[in-house]
Amino acid sequence: MIRSFQTVRPAALLSIALSAGLLFGCSQASETAGTSNGSSANTAASGSASAGKTVTFWHDKTGVAGEAITAAANAFQADHPEIKLNVVYVADLTVGGGQKLLSAVAGGTAPDAVFFDRFQIASWADQGALVDVTDRVSADKLDKNRFYPAAWNEVVYKDRVYGLPVSTDGRVLYYNKDHFKEAGLDPEKPPATIKELEEDAAKLTVKDGGTYKRFGLIPWSTQGNFYTWGWVFGGDFYNTETGEVTANNPKNVEALQWLQQFANKYDISAMQSLSDASKVNPFAAGVTSMVIGNNLTSAQIRDANPKLDFGVTAIPTPSGQNNVTWSGGYSVVIPKGAKNPDGAWELLKYFTGDKAQEELAKAYLSVVHSVNEKVFKDDPINTRILSVLNDARWRPVIPQGQLLWNELQSAMDLAVNNKGNPQELLDGVTDKVNAALKGS
Amino acid sequence: MSNIYSGTDMGMAGRTRTGTGKRSIRQALRKNRTGWLFVTPWLLGLLLFYVYPLVSSIILSFTSYSILKAGSFVGLQNYRNLMGDGVFWASIYNTLYFALLYVPLSLICSLALALLLNTGRRGIGFYRTLFFLPTLVPLVAKAAIWIWLLNPQFGLVNQALAAIGINGPPWLGSDSWSKPTLVLMSLWAIGQTVMIFVAGLQDISRDYYDAAAVDGARRHQTLWRITLPLLTPVLFYNLIMGIIGSFQVFALPYSLTGGSGAPAGSLMFYVMYVYQNAFLYLKMGYASAMAWILFALIALLTAVIFASSKKWVHYQGN
């Protein structure tokens, strides 16, 4: 092998560079994706024999969420013996690109229904990759008022419906009551304004010599993404009239300026390492006293640190009024090329029904008011989140939703690391995403 | 020395002296029919899984293909857009930075380890296993381990440093430390390179050392005058593979940052951005253009190193 280099020829040189330089697609990508489910994906792709009767349903959830989805699916099966439901777990379906679903749809071997992040509906619908269910919705007289506005609006792209919402979430401020007592703060009086939030955070921060032992707040940790802060400051991200992104809304710029000066007050690298880079929930670990979280955060806290005494409150705003939150969540959609769209539609409808919603509420928040009221009546944390859910915001339903998300997160990342000025960064995001919208 | 290759151009380095070179291709084909028959399965695989995707991707790089939609022909638009894409340039900078730091370091470390592992002491097999083990850890698991070890606040590394009075760096927490940290993590798994060096060392004929010993050469002299020059073919191979590998760094930074390249975009590497465009933004045409630019870069570098190799690579027995 090594000796042969002395007589190597251009073709061999080329082939080495070729095979190494270009064909990383398969080998590299498979290193990150859990490839343990290749077999199940294969079996799912070949369900055409009994099409018409079988509904193949893909989801990518494990743990509590996976169990809830399976329970809802089992309930469907019991109520619909005429349909054979085939539930398939497929890892990494929508997170990080969803290559398996992409290749299944592109290759004409799509499943009949998919548990799908609503956030991606617009870009997939824009690509013609989802089945339009608008007529089915009106034929079956489905009432959109059954759902929270934020949940329903995310499945509607250009006035057409591309799926049904099945779960939701909402963001609030979690605070550690023990830390509050320690710092001489009233655990029943969490901060209401941004100013109070800053002051409390300063009091809660613990420094030992040169190193931080605890941060009162790391604003961008957990659910503190830039959408959260932009809306909290009264900003907005999209103009439905012009169809343009408004990431550089003055209020958004204010939010980013605030984040930047907050970061500058402390040691940014210590904050970064305590926030998401550490792969543990810093609030549950007790290294931050406050955090922006959602309904899943309380489950994480109970798992990691059941003794932690915490409360939740609406995210503070500059004025202390006009509290705002935002919602994301899942839907069930019918991908293009589904062999049994009629059967799939039955599943979609069933997943928005009370029975399935109660199952899904074991992992998420339901998209239906009455179900949440019933399920969470003794749960003060989720009740507090639900109280702000009715007028929750939702992310712009645009084909470039993923790009906007990444660009906003990247702008925040750059700003808090002092790599740019907030106005210019958000101008850049606005221009880039609007250019991409025109292009798509 | 002059080499005359046989008529079949299959990228094999085998040499046959045809002497006259007058035989027609058809004759050569007939003579080699059995050979062709034997390589058919391999050739088919090559055509289907290498050549076809290769040709497709260069065609796709001139279109707005999105995986879900065929897209349309856009000429050089993808390439033009790339030239004005800030993230593209940042990812090239990050990748070059990583390669320049990682390749020399990995070669030096693995060579040093190989020399140690080649001393032939008792129990050396145990150490060889020990140094090779980290390469068997899946990259994602590796990322998880290192995240814990290097957490600036409660990571073991900084706690150990604190114990001897050193205030440890923020590692992955700051944009100036993140790439060196990644190099450090990657150096943990150089067992593969070490083993190739060990094989290369054992390939060197004992005669040289015996002759040197007779002449009274000291250890450092034999290292510089015999071992290293005769190891250059292996060094050359590891250098090229190291460069190719570091230009394609992906899995570790991707799993460390969840694909975001944080902090401050300092871990956004070239292939990560290719992946993001292809599967997150559904811009497969754009991603194909990026892949071809990477290919051109790697091919160029490889060619330069090959051209320079005549000056510094020495083969035994020539």
Side-chain angles (χ1 to χ4, degrees), chain A residues 117-122 148-157 160 162-163 165 167-169 326-331 393-397:
Chain A
D117 197 331
R118 284 200 295 274
F119 170 65
Q120 290 182 294
I121 283 184
Y148 293 100
W152 177 257
N153 283 314
E154 270 193 314
V155 299
V156 183
Y157 174 61
R160 306 297 290 177
Y162 288 97
S167 81
T168 193
D169 65 2
W326 69 269
S327 283
Y330 288 90
S331 59
R393 307 295 174 88
W394 64 93
R395 288 161 291 179
V397 186

Side-chain angles (χ1 to χ4, degrees), chain A residues 114 116 118 121 133 137 142 147 151-152 155 161-167 330-334 344-353 357 367:
Chain A
V114 183
F116 196 76
R118 284 200 295 274
I121 283 184
V133 296
V137 170
L142 265 186
F147 310 106
W152 177 257
V155 299
V161 186
Y162 288 97
L164 294 181
V166 298
S167 81
Y330 288 90
S331 59
V332 180
V333 297
I334 307 174
W345 173 245
E346 290 305 317
L347 181 75
L348 260 66
K349 273 193 306 189
Y350 191 87
F351 261 66
T352 62
Q357 281 295 305
V367 284

Side-chain angles (χ1 to χ4, degrees), chain A residues 2 5-6 8-9 20 22-23 28 31 96-97 99 106 126-127 212 273-274 277-280 406 413 419, chain B residues 9 12 54 66 69 139 147-148 151-153 175 233 244 248 251 256 264-265 275-276 279-281 306 315 318:
Chain A
I2 287 152
F5 271 129
Q6 62 191 304
V8 87
R9 3 182 2 192
L22 266 173
L23 297 148
Q28 290 270 21
E31 278 177 35
Q99 302 151 21
D126 191 65
Q127 294 280 340
Y212 286 95
S273 58
L274 279 183
S278 57
K279 295 274 193 276
V280 285
N406 284 27
D413 182 28
K419 299 278 177 213
Chain B
D9 189 31
M12 293 185 176
L54 265 177
S66 78
K69 264 192 196 158
L139 279 162
I147 281 174
W148 279 104
N151 184 296
Q153 304 292 318
D175 56 307
I244 290 172
Q248 294 177 17
L256 284 171
Y275 177 87
Q276 211 174 53
F279 297 109
L280 244 64
Y281 305 153
F306 258 95
Y315 292 94
N318 279 347

Side-chain angles (χ1 to χ4, degrees), chain B residues 107-168:
Chain B
L107 288 178
I108 292 166
C109 294
S110 48
L111 183 58
L113 272 173
L115 288 168
L116 284 174
L117 291 177
N118 201 39
T119 50
R121 302 205 173 174
R122 263 225 302 244
I124 207 77
F126 167 74
Y127 288 103
R128 280 185 195 165
T129 313
L130 200 68
F131 285 115
F132 192 74
L133 269 183
T135 58
L136 303 176
V137 179
L139 279 162
V140 179
K142 196 163 119 183
I145 297 168
W146 281 100
I147 281 174
W148 279 104
L149 285 175
L150 291 174
N151 184 296
Q153 304 292 318
F154 32 73
L156 285 177
V157 173
N158 274 8
Q159 283 181 1
L161 287 172
I164 52 170
I166 299 174
N167 196 353

Side-chain angles (χ1 to χ4, degrees), chain A residues 197-326:
Chain A
L197 180 69
E198 260 184 277
E199 287 165 357
D200 290 357
K203 284 182 191 141
L204 290 159
T205 301
V206 178
K207 209 172 170 179
D208 179 20
T211 57
Y212 286 95
K213 290 289 166 221
R214 190 169 85 199
F215 282 105
L217 171 76
I218 300 173
W220 48 89
S221 165
T222 315
Q223 289 292 331
N225 36 60
F226 190 65
Y227 273 115
T228 303
W229 292 110
W231 276 316
V232 159
F233 272 74
D236 210 351
F237 294 88
Y238 187 61
N239 182 335
T240 42
E241 304 292 310
T242 60
E244 285 195 326
V245 166
T246 58
N248 56 358
N249 174 307
K251 296 287 183 190
N252 291 349
V253 177
E254 251 173 67
L256 195 53
Q257 282 163 341
W258 178 77
L259 288 163
Q260 190 173 51
Q261 63 101 61
F262 194 102
N264 283 332
K265 221 159 95 176
Y266 302 98
D267 170 7
I268 178 69
S269 58
M271 288 175 112
Q272 292 289 62
S273 58
L274 279 183
S275 65
D276 295 334
S278 57
K279 295 274 193 276
V280 285
N281 185 316
F283 183 82
V287 290
T288 63
S289 309
M290 298 186 281
V291 73
I292 307 286
N294 63 3
N295 38 295
L296 303 175
T297 311
S298 49
Q300 285 168 353
I301 297 168
R302 281 186 205 110
D303 279 347
N305 194 351
K307 287 204 185 70
L308 204 152
D309 184 16
F310 63 92
V312 295
T313 181
I315 304 166
T317 58
S319 66
Q321 268 108 46
N322 314 324
N323 290 117
V324 58
T325 189
W326 69 269

